Amino acid sequence: MKLERATLLPLLFFLGAVASLGQSQPAPAKTEALQVTGLSGVKQNTKGSLKVENGSFSFVSSKGTYDVAVASIQDIVTGNDSKRAIGGTVGTLTMLAPYGAGRAISLLRDKIDTLTIQYRDSNGGLHGAIFTLPVGHAETIKEQLLAQGARTSIPSKPEPTTDPSLQSEAKEQLR
């Protein structure tokens, strides 16, 4: 009987510790991003990371950190786009390849997500910023911002309708 308790008790402590780790809130993850344009004081096409934490939307790059209060964000729009797979000077030079091969190479594209925010600064001035992110990250950032008080004109998920006649009318409008 004592042997069973001696083996069962450490097992229960271990399971309790694992269960408590599973319930703890993870720290907000940084998402790699490219600030295309819009943040004052940050050059266009600056690489960095985005983080939403404690009511602040932060863009962190090697040159510094730029913060926007989540409550000042008036609109968030996400989208899907693509960019050239081979960019820069090499991508431009490939267009000179013979027999139209350069044009074919320029058709190779990588998918990306876009995140556009519209916000007001401390003086009430209206600003906007555009970011590109890896596929699947823009909606996550948008949901984090909305959970902390930002507003949007386009909801992330459409409101489910319970009336079947309204669902069929909505389908007809889409056609």
Side-chain angles (χ1 to χ4, degrees), residues 121-135:
D121 64 13
S122 58
N123 297 327
L126 186 62
H127 299 276
I130 302 171
F131 302 93
T132 60
L133 304 110
V135 174

Side-chain angles (χ1 to χ4, degrees), residues 8-131:
L8 188 58
L9 194 55
L11 180 64
L12 288 175
F13 281 127
F14 174 74
L15 291 175
V18 169
S20 68
L21 287 175
Q23 294 174 354
S24 66
Q25 293 251 341
K30 290 183 178 183
T31 303
E32 295 303 314
L34 176 75
Q35 186 263 166
V36 178
T37 189
L39 293 178
S40 55
V42 180
K43 289 185 178 181
Q44 292 183 355
N45 297 321
T46 301
K47 290 184 181 181
S49 60
L50 296 176
K51 184 167 71 168
V52 179
E53 182 178 42
N54 299 329
S56 179
F57 174 70
S58 302
F59 177 73
V60 181
S61 71
S62 61
K63 303 287 183 190
T65 302
Y66 189 86
D67 293 320
V68 174
V70 172
S72 70
I73 297 176
Q74 295 186 324
D75 199 9
I76 309 164
V77 179
T78 59
N80 302 320
D81 205 350
S82 64
K83 64 178 182 176
R84 289 188 306 178
I86 302 172
T89 306
V90 174
T92 305
L93 291 176
T94 58
M95 292 193 172
L96 301 174
Y99 307 112
R103 294 288 177 189
I105 290 173
S106 70
L107 294 175
L108 299 175
R109 310 211 39 99
D110 291 330
K111 292 185 179 185
I112 56 172
D113 278 355
T114 59
L115 175 73
T116 305
I117 62 167
Q118 181 181 26
Y119 65 97
R120 295 219 177 250
D121 64 13
S122 58
N123 297 327
L126 186 62
H127 299 276
I130 302 171
F131 302 93

